[in-house]
């Protein structure tokens, strides 16, 4: 990763529809969350007519794309990805400015896109795998169960890791034979649009389209009867709105929503530097703005002081600053409203008598004054009814809650609206499997937690209000397919019946 990219000029991106880039009459102004008043760039703001054109382009390309063999689609997709790394430094610099997170995280965001894309292509031989049901007593037919694509798919990604998250579903949808329209987030559309357009330019026109704009103008991407499925990653409230809108046309949905992930640290948890480094990263990566970050830490009472000391030592070294500045380890929150919310729940915990410890120094640079920067905090032994425990903080604050028994820890971990991820920290594999098997969530780590250790081959998704459906792996491909059964009468079985 280099640090030589010129980031002074505003970035502009257009729409990409049916193999052609187009501009729009109005634009989205993309602001820098770390530097008040600074404009990162401008993205085209699509109108309803642009959206209808994108849907028509994807629908028109569907017949030809779905008619290809999976191997032919995979070959074209592999070619389309070539050269993506050539722009990674520049994309990372742009994403860091529009998002706020540090440059390295933005660089990894693009890298994960490439990794996920290639892992999806490795599934090509499994996509068309059919099974045959032979005749059975009273069933004189031989039935072949096949898989078929759905049609036009809309993929909507969030601001925090938009490029990486896109590749948890987009390549799977295309490989399955669907065509797609990508809707980048309105507050961070620039880097994502650039990446997607480069790939779309190498695919047949209409197979992959990019539409940016205000949500109110893009509703047809969800409600149109020509859209077969919507894949949405975002907040719980956003997922509920998507589901309600999609219900009008019975459009299918995959929803990967928020999490209030619990990390359970048993009495025998290993708390050396390596494990504490992992725990720290699982909480504070991207300034706490990752759905699968640890959001609640349940610690055996005998180990609470050690965990607090370990996290405190790391927070003492945190450098709060601008995401592109050398040495910054924690950037600003993405939006002022989120800064206000996190500040509010920290102050609420203080008022309730919790032991709240804040760390670090806000950046002194005058250009950063008024940016969305916040000092990270530990909230030790809070009342479990406080919002810092019950709600997803999505910021640099974490509650640490002691427990005495395993049953108590599991009960508290599961006592939540969410069910995205969880983790168990223990020196004993049997204990890890036992406790992990009792956590009500879609993904469990052992002695680790968070996006850096996510197995990108495995199905990923939540339970409860953390969503529905799965991304990644062959399960992620099947989410963009449906079955077709073809039954042939079997003369021998018919005669015998």
């Amino acid at each position: 990763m280099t640090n030589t990219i010129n980031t002074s000029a505003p970035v502009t991106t257009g729409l990409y529809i049916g193999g052609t880039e187009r501009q729009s009459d109005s634009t989205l102004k993309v602001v820098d969350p770390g530097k008040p008043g600074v404009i990162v760039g401008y993205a085209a703001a699509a109108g309803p007519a642009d959206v209808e054109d994108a849907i028509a382009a994807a629908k028109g390309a569907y017949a030809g794309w779905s008619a290809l063999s999976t191997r032919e689609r995979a070959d074209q997709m592999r070619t389309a990805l070539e050269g993506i790394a050539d722009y990674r430094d520049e994309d990372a610099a742009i994403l860091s400015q529009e998002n706020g997170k540090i440059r390295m995280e933005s660089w990894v965001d693009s890298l994960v896109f490439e990794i996920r894309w290639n892992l999806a292509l490795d599934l090509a031989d499994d996509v068309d795998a059919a099974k045959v049901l032979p005749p059975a007593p009273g069933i004189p037919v031989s039935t072949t169960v096949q898989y078929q694509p759905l049609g036009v798919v809309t993929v909507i990604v969030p601001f925090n890791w938009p490029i990486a998250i896109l590749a948890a579903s987009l390549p799977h949808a295309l490989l399955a034979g669907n065509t797609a329209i990508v809707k980048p987030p309105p507050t961070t559309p620039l880097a994502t649009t650039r990446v997607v357009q480069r790939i779309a330019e190498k695919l047949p026109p209409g197979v992959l389209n990019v539409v940016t704009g205000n949500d109110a103008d893009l509703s047809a991407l969800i409600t149109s009867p020509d859209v077969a499925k919507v894949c949405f990653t975002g907040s719980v409230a956003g997922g509920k709105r998507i589901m309600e809108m999609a219900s009008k046309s019975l459009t299918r949905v995959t929803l990967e929503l928020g999490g209030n992930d619990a990390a359970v640290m048993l009495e025998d948890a290993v708390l050396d530097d390596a494990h504490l480094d992992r725990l720290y990263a699982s909480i504070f990566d991207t300034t706490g703005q990752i759905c699968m970050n640890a959001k609640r830490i349940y610690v055996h009472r005998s180990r609470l002081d050690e965990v607090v000391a370990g996290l405190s030592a790391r927070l003492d070294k945190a450098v709060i600053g601008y995401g592109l500045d050398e040495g910054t380890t924690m950037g600003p929150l993405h939006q002022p409203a989120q800064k206000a919310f996190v500040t509010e729940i920290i102050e609420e915990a203080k008022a309730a008598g919790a032991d709240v410890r804040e760390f670090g120094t806000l950046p002194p640079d005058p250009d950063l004054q008024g940016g969305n920067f916040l000092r990270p905090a530990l909230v030790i032994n809070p009342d479990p009814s406080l919002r810092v425990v019950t709600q997803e903080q999505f910021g640099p604050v974490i509650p640490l809650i002691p427990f005495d028994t395993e049953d108590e820890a599991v009960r508290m971990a599961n006592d939540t609206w969410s069910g995205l991820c969880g983790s168990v920290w223990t020196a004993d594999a049997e204990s890890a499997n036992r406790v992990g098997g009792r956590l009500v969530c879609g993904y469990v780590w052992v002695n680790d937690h968070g996006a850096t250790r996510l197995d990108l081959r495995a199905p990923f998704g939540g339970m409860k209000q953390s969503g529905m459906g799965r991304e990644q792996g062959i399960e992620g491909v099947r989410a963009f397919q449906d079955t077709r059964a073809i039954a042939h009468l079997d003369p021998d079985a018919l005669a015998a019946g």
Side-chain angles (χ1 to χ4, degrees):
M1 184 182 68
T2 65
N3 292 307
T4 59
I5 301 303
N6 179 6
T7 59
S8 58
V11 178
T12 59
T13 57
L15 312 174
Y16 193 77
I17 297 172
T20 303
E21 184 178 10
R22 68 168 72 170
Q23 299 304 318
S24 58
D25 293 335
S26 59
T27 59
L28 298 175
K29 183 169 65 175
V30 182
V31 300
D32 190 322
K35 294 182 176 180
V38 172
I39 305 302
V40 182
Y42 301 88
D50 297 310
V51 175
E52 292 301 331
D53 287 348
I55 295 171
K59 184 179 180 181
Y62 173 71
W65 183 248
S66 62
L68 297 176
S69 69
T70 304
R71 178 54 59 188
E72 288 172 325
R73 290 194 293 269
D75 289 343
Q76 291 196 39
M77 291 171 63
R78 185 169 285 106
T79 299
L81 190 69
E82 291 176 357
I84 189 174
D86 296 344
Y87 299 90
R88 185 162 293 141
D89 289 350
E90 187 174 349
D91 291 335
I94 293 169
L95 181 58
S96 181
Q97 291 174 91
E98 58 181 336
N99 174 287
K101 66 185 180 181
I102 62 175
R103 183 194 293 261
M104 176 56 76
E105 289 184 332
S106 297
W107 194 87
V108 171
D109 203 322
S110 175
L111 174 64
V112 172
F113 181 95
E114 181 178 2
I115 294 171
R116 275 176 159 159
W117 190 280
N118 284 320
L119 286 172
L121 299 185
D122 288 344
L123 300 168
D125 291 337
D126 300 324
V127 171
D128 294 329
K131 65 178 179 179
V132 177
L133 305 175
I139 307 175
V141 295
S142 176
T143 304
T144 301
V145 180
Q146 302 174 333
Y147 294 95
Q148 58 185 321
L150 302 176
V152 177
V153 170
T154 295
V155 184
I156 304 172
V157 292
F159 76 86
N160 56 346
W161 282 75
I163 305 173
I165 287 173
L166 179 60
S169 56
L170 177 61
H172 305 77
L174 296 176
L175 187 66
N178 305 280
T179 55
I181 304 167
V182 173
K183 179 192 172 299
T187 57
T188 55
L190 303 173
T192 303
T193 297
R194 286 161 51 91
V195 170
V196 177
Q197 181 170 335
R198 286 189 216 114
I199 292 174
E201 289 171 343
K202 299 178 184 178
L203 295 172
V207 168
L208 178 56
N209 309 272
V210 188
V211 176
T212 51
N214 296 300
D215 291 346
D217 296 323
L218 308 184
S219 60
L221 292 176
I222 302 162
T223 60
S224 171
D226 289 327
V227 172
K229 177 159 186 173
V230 176
C231 184
F232 171 83
T233 302
S235 68
V236 174
K240 290 178 179 179
R241 288 195 300 270
I242 294 292
M243 194 170 185
E244 181 179 5
M245 294 169 68
S247 69
K248 293 177 173 59
S249 55
L250 292 180
T251 299
R252 305 174 189 215
V253 296
T254 289
L255 303 175
E256 198 276 272
L257 309 178
N260 195 20
D261 290 8
V264 178
M265 312 197 74
L266 299 182
E267 186 174 8
D268 66 344
V270 178
L271 295 179
D272 58 16
D273 283 341
H275 286 74
L276 285 168
D277 284 345
R278 293 178 207 157
L279 179 65
Y280 175 81
S282 79
I283 300 166
F284 295 107
D285 275 357
T286 317
T287 319
Q289 298 169 110
I290 303 178
C291 59
M292 66 185 83
N293 273 10
K295 308 287 172 52
R296 297 171 293 147
I297 312 297
Y298 293 100
V299 189
H300 191 275
R301 194 176 301 276
S302 66
R303 311 300 300 278
L304 179 62
D305 290 344
E306 290 175 80
V307 174
V308 171
L311 292 177
S312 297
R314 285 153 179 80
L315 285 167
D316 281 334
K317 299 176 182 177
V319 179
I320 306 168
Y322 192 60
L324 293 182
D325 287 350
E326 191 71 27
T328 295
T329 64
M330 189 175 293
L333 290 166
H334 180 56
Q335 293 183 312
Q338 190 60 25
K339 175 185 175 181
F341 170 73
V342 178
T343 300
E344 189 176 281
I345 62 174
I346 291 174
E347 293 304 314
E348 179 182 81
K350 290 179 182 178
D355 181 359
V356 179
R357 305 181 191 181
E358 295 173 277
F359 299 83
T361 303
L362 296 179
D365 187 338
D367 289 341
L368 305 181
Q369 299 306 302
N372 302 328
F373 299 97
L374 196 64
R375 297 176 68 206
L378 303 178
V379 182
I380 302 162
N381 198 17
D383 187 298
S385 66
L386 289 173
R387 286 186 295 169
V388 74
V389 179
T390 63
Q391 295 189 24
E392 182 179 24
Q393 311 94 7
F394 226 62
V397 56
I398 190 75
L400 295 105
I401 304 165
F403 67 85
D404 296 302
T405 68
E406 181 180 301
D407 286 345
E408 180 187 12
V410 171
R411 177 185 59 76
M412 291 192 294
N414 288 337
D415 184 19
T416 181
W417 52 268
S418 80
L420 191 57
C421 305
S423 61
V424 184
W425 301 70
T426 174
D428 180 59
E430 183 177 339
S431 296
N433 290 333
R434 181 180 64 253
V435 175
R438 296 175 66 189
L439 298 180
V440 182
C441 58
Y443 199 103
V444 176
W445 291 273
V446 176
N447 295 325
D448 211 337
H449 194 125
T452 57
R453 284 295 192 275
L454 185 69
D455 188 335
L456 302 180
R457 304 165 301 174
F460 180 80
M463 302 173 67
K464 300 181 182 177
Q465 291 189 49
S466 287
M468 60 184 66
R470 293 294 180 264
E471 298 175 326
Q472 300 187 159
I474 191 61
E475 293 86 355
V477 176
R478 297 291 182 239
F480 293 102
Q481 294 178 307
D482 210 339
T483 56
R484 176 196 293 114
I486 301 179
H488 292 264
L489 282 170
D490 184 286
D492 294 336
L494 189 63

